[in-house]
Amino acid sequence: MHKTKGIIALDLDGTLLNSHKELSQGNLAALQKAADAGWEIVPTTGRFYGGMPDFIRGLPFVHYAITINGAYVEDLACGNQIYTAEMPYKQAISIMEYLDKLPVIYDCYMDNDAFMTEALKDKVDEIIEDPRIRKMFYDLRKPVPELKAFLKNRRQDVQKIQFFTKDTELRLSLLEKLPNVFENIAVSSSSPQNIEINQVEATKGLALVALADYLGLEKSQTIAFGDGLNDISMIEQAGIGIAMANGCKEALDAADWVTGHCDEDGVAQGIKHFIFNSSNL
């Protein structure tokens, strides 16, 4: 067994996965080679663990997962909870009451699962334009009669609230406004239509640092790949932060290096450049 050399933290959609939500053979080969060389390959996603594709969860060299934008980090071999950062359920209800006045549909992640008011799930086709995201909602969101009432009854803290809107100007304004309306929240985005709301310490960057500490690694021994707003914290926190060529401007600006497009095996390009062509790692 190789000594752990470091962590490669990988966003999924638009980063490790191509635009068809597939893992290319080129990226898979690069991950296997890095794992064989002693690197921990860590999916780092806004999804909950059960919402990740089976072909990612089934990779034999994946031992850890950073999920729900950093709200939950798990040692998969033993089920150890390495890091958590959850939003008080009463605050989650207040946020949902605020969203009820807007032209949006929303869900929440709780206990590593996803829930949604049934009437809002019925509007998925009307609001969400990307057919792949619509399919994820149909497959992975458990409908409940009314989400706020569900939270009041369950009294369990929330890992993430996510909402979608067709109104681009509203979405951009809420990205700026929401942190001023509600305390201790982190606001990010992973697609052109959504906003994701987590507890302020639920970021991919803080989660990556927590996992490095758990493994006895320095921050300099971490590499992070991402493309969206919810990846910026880990791009900034990692020893080497890499943005995809298809990434948003903010991710590109935060990165130490820009690799190829997600449809051009950009992850494999970055691994080759920094691990197998570098004597510094």
Side-chain angles (χ1 to χ4, degrees):
M1 179 178 288
H2 295 281
K3 180 181 177 183
T4 301
K5 290 186 178 178
I7 296 168
I8 302 175
L10 297 151
D11 172 57
L12 296 183
D13 302 299
T15 300
L16 179 59
L17 306 183
N18 63 25
S19 57
H20 300 291
K21 310 290 187 186
E22 300 164 337
L23 175 61
S24 71
Q25 287 301 309
N27 279 347
L28 176 59
L31 297 185
Q32 183 67 67
K33 186 176 180 181
D36 290 344
W39 288 80
E40 290 293 347
I41 308 301
V42 182
T44 306
T45 177
R47 306 191 198 195
F48 60 97
Y49 181 72
M52 293 197 301
D54 292 343
F55 58 81
I56 296 294
R57 287 186 284 131
L59 293 172
F61 47 74
V62 170
H63 307 132
Y64 307 92
I66 296 172
T67 58
I68 317 177
N69 289 337
Y72 196 81
V73 185
E74 184 177 1
D75 183 332
L76 299 172
C78 60
N80 274 358
Q81 180 178 289
I82 296 169
Y83 182 81
T84 60
E86 298 182 341
M87 179 189 306
Y89 77 90
K90 289 183 178 179
Q91 183 181 38
I93 291 170
S94 295
I95 293 171
M96 291 174 187
E97 289 172 344
Y98 182 90
L99 296 177
D100 282 337
K101 302 170 185 175
L102 303 172
V104 307
I105 59 172
Y106 60 82
D107 62 7
C108 81
Y109 290 13
M110 179 171 52
D111 196 24
N112 299 311
D113 212 339
F115 304 90
M116 190 174 191
T117 297
E118 189 169 11
L120 294 182
K121 190 172 181 181
D122 290 340
K123 295 183 179 181
V124 165
D125 281 349
E126 175 187 335
I127 300 293
I128 299 177
E129 296 172 357
D130 189 325
R132 292 177 292 268
I133 296 177
R134 288 201 301 264
K135 184 178 187 306
M136 288 172 59
F137 266 74
Y138 290 132
D139 292 346
L140 300 173
R141 301 304 184 269
K142 292 182 177 178
V144 297
E146 206 285 318
L147 189 53
K148 297 187 299 299
F150 180 71
L151 293 184
K152 289 176 184 176
N153 181 61
R154 190 156 170 169
R155 296 175 177 268
Q156 185 171 346
D157 291 343
V158 168
Q159 294 165 314
K160 183 175 83 171
I161 296 172
Q162 175 180 221
F163 68 89
F164 282 75
T165 180
K166 294 177 72 173
D167 188 331
T168 301
E169 289 186 9
L170 173 66
R171 175 180 167 273
L172 293 174
S173 69
L174 288 174
L175 278 169
E176 294 187 9
K177 184 177 181 180
L178 284 170
N180 298 318
V181 176
F182 298 99
E183 296 181 347
N184 299 319
I185 64 168
V187 176
S188 61
S189 177
S190 60
S191 83
Q193 281 194 280
N194 87 333
I195 290 181
E196 303 178 18
I197 307 170
N198 291 85
Q199 197 267 348
V200 70
E201 294 182 341
T203 69
K204 292 184 179 183
L206 290 175
L208 176 59
V209 172
L211 178 58
D213 289 343
Y214 178 80
L215 295 174
L217 300 172
E218 298 295 326
K219 195 163 71 168
S220 61
Q221 294 173 277
T222 63
I223 301 174
F225 289 81
D227 71 303
L229 293 177
N230 63 340
D231 299 316
I232 292 172
S233 63
M234 72 169 178
I235 288 172
E236 293 177 338
Q237 288 281 355
I240 299 172
I242 301 174
M244 310 301 293
N246 53 282
C248 66
K249 181 182 184 301
E250 294 87 346
L252 296 171
D253 290 345
D256 299 306
W257 197 71
V258 176
T259 191
H261 195 284
C262 69
D263 288 333
E264 299 170 348
D265 292 352
V267 165
Q269 292 176 39
I271 288 174
K272 179 180 179 181
H273 181 83
F274 283 104
I275 293 179
F276 297 108
N277 286 350
S278 173
S279 61
N280 298 321
L281 294 169

